[in-house]
Amino acid sequence: MRIPFLTLGLLAFAIGLLWIGQGTGFVAWPRSSFMISQMQWAWYGAALAAVGLGLMWLSRR
């Protein structure tokens, strides 16, 4: 289960960081995204990034 947890963790962490960037307005990609400058998506991204970190931590055990 090490490889699947690590892969899912990295993917979740990366997507979470993207959502944080879009939600705070730092990342305006894609330009037509409904998530840009919507703070709720920054919170969702933080939660997803935390889940990703947890999965990566589990893969190390």
Side-chain angles (χ1 to χ4, degrees):
M1 291 302 290
R2 181 173 188 237
I3 299 297
F5 278 176
L6 182 60
T7 304
L8 286 174
L10 286 171
L11 185 61
F13 185 71
I15 292 172
L17 290 180
L18 176 64
W19 287 3
I20 291 170
Q22 286 181 327
T24 57
F26 287 124
V27 177
W29 175 84
R31 289 249 181 240
S32 62
S33 178
F34 61 91
M35 294 166 49
I36 295 174
S37 296
Q38 299 293 319
M39 213 39 209
Q40 74 185 44
W41 287 100
W43 292 112
Y44 295 155
L48 184 60
V51 168
L53 286 175
L55 286 171
M56 288 188 284
W57 180 76
L58 280 175
S59 75
R60 302 279 295 161
R61 296 189 84 210

